[in-house]
């Protein structure tokens, strides 16, 4: 996640650019996996069994809605990666997975064991505690020079000061 955060922050694309670039790369590489997994045979068999009817409004609507949700998930994922730290993004992902597992436990009978749920909860708590320890650090700008000039943006020094520590 730290490496992805670095790439997202330094590549120079806006959020929509990242989404379109990501989806274009996925679209270009997906035919390789269709052939390797043999999935293309299933697609051709399904089209052949459909009596040549290539367009059905219910199937088109389902696929189109799925594409819209996929693009939106990608957009908000990249926007969150830009807005928060890599650790906070990871914790957010774990919370999302935890909520998915909780819903799965309530709806279906085939789900994780109680030990697996306990391990997931332990991981979630560890991530939250780690995030809280990192957020205790504050970053403050250095005071103006004595001649009251505004410092250049490039030369603005930052001092990281943890709460409770004396100024150095």
């Amino acid at each position: 996640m730290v490496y992805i955060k670095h790439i997202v922050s330094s590549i120079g694309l806006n959020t929509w650019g990242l989404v379109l670039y990501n989806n274009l790369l996925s679209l270009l590489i997906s035919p390789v996996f269709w052939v390797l997994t043999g999935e293309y045979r299933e697609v051709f068999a399904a089209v052949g069994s459909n009596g040549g009817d290539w367009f059905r409004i219910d199937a088109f609507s389902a696929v189109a809605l799925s594409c819209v949700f996929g693009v939106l998930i990608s957009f908000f994922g990249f926007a969150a990666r830009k807005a928060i730290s890599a650790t906070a993004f990871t914790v957010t992902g774990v919370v999302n997975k935890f909520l998915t597992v909780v819903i799965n436990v309530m709806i279906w009978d085939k789900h994780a064991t109680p030990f697996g749920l306990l391990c997931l909860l332990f991981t979630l708590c560890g991530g939250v505690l780690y995030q809280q320890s990192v957020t205790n650090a504050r970053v403050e700008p250095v005071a103006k020079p004595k001649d009251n000039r505004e410092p250049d943006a490039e030369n603005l020094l930052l001092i990281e000061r943890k709460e409770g520590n004396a100024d150095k």
Side-chain angles (χ1 to χ4, degrees):
M1 287 298 172
V2 173
Y3 181 68
I4 293 172
K5 172 74 174 182
H6 169 70
I7 295 297
V8 167
S9 300
S10 64
I11 199 166
L13 292 174
N14 65 10
T15 305
W16 279 113
L18 289 167
V19 168
L20 295 175
Y21 184 64
N22 184 44
N23 287 329
L24 176 67
L25 289 177
S26 299
L27 185 63
L28 292 175
I29 201 168
S30 62
V32 173
F33 290 103
W34 295 341
V35 172
L36 289 176
T37 61
E39 190 173 347
Y40 71 94
R41 287 187 218 115
E42 294 175 24
V43 171
F44 290 141
V47 169
S49 70
N50 206 13
D53 186 15
W54 282 63
F55 184 80
R56 290 181 35 202
I57 191 68
D58 57 342
F60 176 79
S61 300
V63 171
L65 189 62
S66 174
C67 289
V68 168
F69 282 134
V71 168
L72 291 175
I73 288 170
S74 182
F75 175 82
F76 288 113
F78 279 114
R81 276 189 175 103
K82 278 188 168 185
I84 61 178
S85 71
T87 305
F89 185 79
T90 303
V91 170
T92 303
V94 172
V95 169
N96 183 25
K97 286 175 183 54
F98 184 74
L99 293 175
T100 304
V101 169
V102 167
I103 291 169
N104 186 4
V105 167
M106 291 190 297
I107 295 176
W108 290 289
D109 59 350
K110 298 204 182 229
H111 49 76
T113 64
F115 179 72
L117 295 174
L118 185 65
C119 289
L120 182 62
L121 189 60
F122 179 73
T123 304
L124 179 64
C125 291
V128 169
L129 291 175
Y130 176 78
Q131 179 64 26
Q132 288 176 352
S133 70
V134 171
T135 57
N136 284 339
R138 287 191 324 225
V139 177
E140 296 178 1
V142 174
K144 287 184 186 179
K146 291 184 180 180
D147 59 0
N148 284 332
R149 287 182 300 127
E150 288 290 328
D152 294 338
E154 297 174 350
N155 299 326
L156 184 63
L157 299 175
L158 297 175
I159 298 175
E160 183 175 327
R161 189 176 77 179
K162 295 189 182 218
E163 289 185 27
N165 290 351
D167 289 337
K168 295 182 178 179

